[in-house]
Amino acid sequence: MRNALAAREVSTIYKLLRRKGVSQRQIAAMTGQSQSEVSEILKGRQVMAYDVLVRIADGLGVPRGYMGLAYDEVTAQRVADSRETPEAEEPENVKRRKFLAHAAAVAVGAHVLGADSGSWVSNPVLTPAPGRIGMTDVRQVEAATRALRSLDYQYGGGFCRDAVVAQLSWGQQMLNSSGTDVVKQRLHVALADLHNLAGWTSFDVGLIDSARNHFGRALELAKAGESDELVANILYRMGRVYLHKEAPDDALKMFQLGQIAAQQSGSELAVAVICANQAWAYAMMGHEDQTMKLIGRTRDEFARANHGEAADWVKFFNEDDVYSMIGTVHTVLAQKVDSRHTKYAIPALTRAIDSYGDEVARNKAFNLSSLATNHLLDGDIDHGARVGVQAVDLAQHLKSKRVRDRLEPLRIEADKRRNFVDARDLADLIGRFSDSSPESNAV
């Protein structure tokens, strides 16, 4: 039974239960499935969905770690090792230089798996690997990553980060397993994307060193899996970390490396993502002409992209996100260069907000905050304050430090207008929210 659980062979698990006299009806009642579903699984139907596997484990009273779904001793150690240390051993600018050197070596060289990644990458001990893996095992990793990424979009990284790291405990051990070359290549890409998600959720809750650890490992695995498109996506995400930290120069270096990988992949959509984020970096640096050129190229690349064949990690960049990025970039220009950029930012952000559903609540919160900022800059204080309150209300339901940080520019603009009651109330509201205990919005 332990072997079947470790391999997530639900059909075998149910057959073993049946041999011991447990009926199909009892299995269905415990796992929350219909009797027909249990019957189909007994006949060999595979179960790969992360949430269904969790429900089965919980229903049967099985520790999730037996199925690689949550904490076992090794996983708990991995989560502990990946948390931020109270005091960094090296200055942040040193870590950035080391990561840039590593990223450049991976993106354009042959410096991949097994390389000395530097002191910024932790090396937890891997659990024993199963003997042999097949494509089904890889698809389970991919399915879990999709499910966890959806949770991140909707509720924030704090809601699912530890589950992502726990999932790595199951997936990482398979690197030492035997399998065909095709299976092993796809495994490298699947695990790269899982590390990519671990980095992104770590960033979302403010664990920058942990994010860098996971992104560094993701780069190596993506390169080993020969996926330039994923390499580009990882570099874009690391660049976003630096944008958030007000380091546009370092962010631009990541995006430029990402552009090389995106162009090599032949994916116009990957190139569009990189161009949009380069525009953001240039806007933060106050370079208006370069920013607008890159916004134009973003539109062109997006229009030419084959969206139907896009990989999971780049599918998020749809028309709504193009408008979101355009609005965000013009917001930065409105703050740093010329307030007249609000006339471009407001319609773009409004278009994105009106299209966003609950499944991307974090993006909606970002855009509401930017929209409110533009209305304040435009002199529409009452409306800006109302939109700002909506942003705070939504942020309070998300486990994301990044959302709280992104409210700060709005608080600054509202505070400048304290002679207006609505603006003063909004500034105080954001201040109280920002000063609230981190545990309410992060891990």
Side-chain angles (χ1 to χ4, degrees), residues 122-135:
S122 59
N123 294 290
V125 177
L126 297 178
T127 53
R132 186 172 181 81
I133 59 170
M135 200 59 79

Side-chain angles (χ1 to χ4, degrees), residues 118-151:
S119 59
W120 46 267
V121 173
S122 59
N123 294 290
V125 177
L126 297 178
T127 53
R132 186 172 181 81
I133 59 170
M135 200 59 79
T136 297
D137 300 293
V138 180
R139 284 197 293 265
Q140 288 177 340
V141 175
E142 294 168 342
T145 303
R146 282 194 297 272
L148 290 165
R149 180 169 278 125
S150 295
L151 293 174

Side-chain angles (χ1 to χ4, degrees), residues 57-75:
D58 291 347
L60 298 178
V62 173
R64 292 185 184 182
Y66 287 5
M67 298 177 74
L69 297 169
Y71 298 110
D72 52 21
E73 291 180 6
V74 175
T75 304

Side-chain angles (χ1 to χ4, degrees), residues 89-368:
E89 296 178 3
E90 297 176 317
E92 176 64 19
N93 63 334
V94 174
K95 292 179 183 178
R96 288 179 186 170
R97 284 200 301 271
K98 287 187 174 182
F99 188 91
L100 177 62
H102 178 70
V106 173
V108 300
H111 184 72
V112 288
L113 293 172
D116 179 11
S117 301
S119 59
W120 46 267
V121 173
S122 59
N123 294 290
V125 177
L126 297 178
T127 53
R132 186 172 181 81
I133 59 170
M135 200 59 79
T136 297
D137 300 293
V138 180
R139 284 197 293 265
Q140 288 177 340
V141 175
E142 294 168 342
T145 303
R146 282 194 297 272
L148 290 165
R149 180 169 278 125
S150 295
L151 293 174
D152 169 62
Y153 285 150
Q154 187 166 2
Y155 301 111
F159 188 84
C160 61
R161 175 185 174 269
D162 283 356
V164 176
V165 176
Q167 185 65 23
L168 278 169
S169 180
W170 166 257
Q172 194 80 17
Q173 64 182 334
M174 292 193 289
L175 287 172
N176 296 321
S177 304
S178 63
T180 66
D181 290 343
V182 173
V183 168
K184 295 288 279 187
Q185 181 177 356
R186 184 160 164 180
L187 174 65
H188 282 117
V189 174
L191 291 178
D193 192 28
L194 189 54
H195 270 291
N196 193 25
L197 180 58
W200 191 246
T201 54
S202 296
F203 163 46
D204 199 48
V205 298
L207 301 179
I208 303 303
D209 280 348
S210 294
R212 195 165 14 228
N213 292 345
H214 287 295
F215 286 138
R217 184 62 173 158
L219 276 175
E220 296 175 355
L221 288 163
K223 194 67 175 180
E226 300 179 0
S227 177
D228 288 324
E229 190 177 13
L230 184 50
V231 167
N233 187 266
I234 296 161
L235 290 167
Y236 132 72
R237 292 181 187 277
M238 194 63 219
R240 284 289 289 270
V241 174
Y242 294 151
L243 281 186
H244 190 77
K245 288 296 184 180
E246 301 286 334
D249 287 340
D250 290 321
L252 197 56
K253 293 169 187 173
M254 289 292 117
F255 298 145
Q256 287 167 344
L257 280 175
Q259 185 171 358
I260 294 171
Q263 289 171 339
Q264 288 176 339
S265 75
S267 169
E268 290 87 357
L269 193 57
V271 174
V273 171
I274 295 291
C275 288
N277 283 275
Q278 284 180 315
W280 193 345
Y282 278 116
M284 289 182 68
M285 296 162 70
H287 299 328
E288 186 176 14
D289 290 344
Q290 192 67 19
T291 299
M292 298 315 300
K293 288 177 183 176
L294 283 160
I295 284 294
R297 187 174 176 194
T298 299
R299 291 179 183 273
D300 293 342
E301 296 288 349
F302 182 84
R304 295 193 300 118
N306 186 339
H307 300 270
E309 296 181 1
D312 286 343
W313 50 81
V314 76
K315 276 183 180 176
F316 76 92
F317 199 70
N318 56 27
E319 190 174 18
D320 299 335
D321 288 282
V322 172
Y323 280 105
S324 172
M325 287 297 295
I326 291 171
T328 299
V329 168
H330 279 292
T331 300
V332 175
L333 289 174
Q335 293 171 294
K336 293 185 175 292
V337 179
D338 189 334
S339 63
R340 287 178 294 181
H341 280 276
T342 58
K343 68 180 180 181
Y344 305 108
I346 290 172
L349 291 168
T350 302
R351 163 70 170 74
I353 290 166
D354 289 345
S355 300
Y356 280 144
D358 293 339
E359 71 280 2
V360 284
R362 184 176 55 202
N363 283 359
K364 190 170 185 177
F366 288 151
N367 281 269
L368 283 168

Side-chain angles (χ1 to χ4, degrees), residues 1 10-35 37-39 41-42 55-56 59-60:
M1 177 61 86
V10 180
S11 179
T12 302
I13 294 168
Y14 285 4
K15 287 175 182 175
L16 290 170
L17 291 173
R18 291 288 293 117
R19 288 181 200 170
K20 293 297 182 180
V22 182
S23 69
Q24 289 189 29
R25 181 174 295 177
Q26 288 174 305
I27 294 172
M30 287 188 288
T31 60
Q33 296 174 296
S34 67
Q35 200 167 335
E37 286 179 299
V38 173
S39 177
I41 292 170
L42 281 165
R55 193 168 71 239
I56 290 170
L60 298 178

